[in-house]
Amino acid sequence: MDAKKLVSPAFRVTTGQYEIAGGMEVECFSSRQARADWCRISFAPAMQGMVTYDDMEPAVLELGYEDDYDVLLSGYCRKTSGDTWKELLIRDPMMKLERLSVKASFTGCTPQDIIKYVLIQAGIEHYRLSAEVYAQKNLLVIDHCSGVETIEQVNTAWGLDNDFFFRDGMFYWGCVPDQENIYVLEEDENILSLNRYGGLYEIETFGVPWIHHSQAIEVVHTNYTGTVKVEKTIIKSDESGYVRMYIYFKGG
């Protein structure tokens, strides 16, 4: 693995109009509980007012070194009356489901039937749903709920606790992206610190864009050793470009 890529990574933001590789501070959040990934980009004084964008304009946040970047977040710019010209907020495609309003009565449907309907209404074409076979329900009424609320009601109606989220533009419900390799985080190698706060362990490490929530990682440290599932990640930089990543897991 390229050590230089981990030690000195840099952010790059691409929107429909701009490619930005400096003059900004970045905070990127990803969590199983929150479902939607998002990042806040705060522009340095020299950049403030220079970047313009439209609501729902496609945007990509990458992290890497020189010409070798990995996608950290792919989504859309969010622009409302409360947003300022000093920052840019990017959210993943869950924003489409949050803005969708659903009013419908579903008869003789499975969870997958209803979720597919919601995704189509939101304009989401790429998805993977659980292959589990569930019984049909005679009736489920959705009355002016967002797409996210509708999927949560589907989980409740069938007594399920299925996670749902986006990764690289693909929607997942009740399943996770294929993972070929388990990334190893090791004391004195790529773990800067490991501490426990309440019910979660926190690893401080370098920016690693290919580690996401719901993935398995292997931890080798004095305070904890084992294979765990990532609950959430935070990656952020300061005005000097110094990048750190915080990985949270429950442990045993």
Side-chain angles (χ1 to χ4, degrees), residues 63-195:
L63 184 66
Y65 188 87
E66 294 179 344
D67 292 326
D68 186 10
Y69 282 83
D70 292 276
V71 175
L72 193 60
L73 174 61
S74 177
Y76 303 92
C77 300
R78 193 209 71 173
K79 186 175 184 180
T80 68
S81 58
D83 293 324
T84 72
W85 44 267
K86 295 182 179 181
E87 64 180 26
L88 166 64
L89 188 68
I90 300 174
R91 293 179 61 88
D92 73 12
M94 194 69 73
M95 188 159 62
K96 289 186 173 182
L97 292 174
E98 292 168 345
R99 295 184 176 190
L100 178 69
S101 179
V102 179
K103 179 177 174 59
S105 297
F106 300 94
T107 59
C109 291
T110 65
Q112 290 92 330
D113 294 331
I114 299 173
I115 293 172
K116 286 179 183 177
Y117 170 85
V118 172
L119 295 175
I120 291 171
Q121 295 302 306
I124 295 166
E125 300 178 351
H126 304 291
Y127 54 84
R128 284 178 56 185
L129 308 181
S130 169
E132 188 76 22
V133 177
Y134 300 104
Q136 294 182 350
K137 285 204 172 294
N138 292 333
L139 178 65
L140 181 66
V141 177
I142 304 296
D143 188 14
H144 293 296
C145 293
S146 72
V148 172
E149 292 168 338
T150 300
I151 296 172
E152 290 173 343
Q153 287 200 27
V154 168
N155 276 347
T156 299
W158 269 266
L160 305 175
D161 190 27
N162 286 357
D163 286 342
F164 59 94
F165 57 90
F166 283 88
R167 180 75 43 76
D168 295 329
M170 177 78 72
F171 176 85
Y172 294 86
W173 174 81
C175 56
V176 297
D178 298 331
Q179 184 175 348
E180 296 181 359
N181 302 304
I182 295 179
Y183 191 80
V184 180
L185 291 166
E186 190 170 356
E187 189 173 11
D188 298 326
E189 291 291 335
N190 48 17
I191 293 180
L192 301 176
S193 67
L194 191 157
N195 298 287

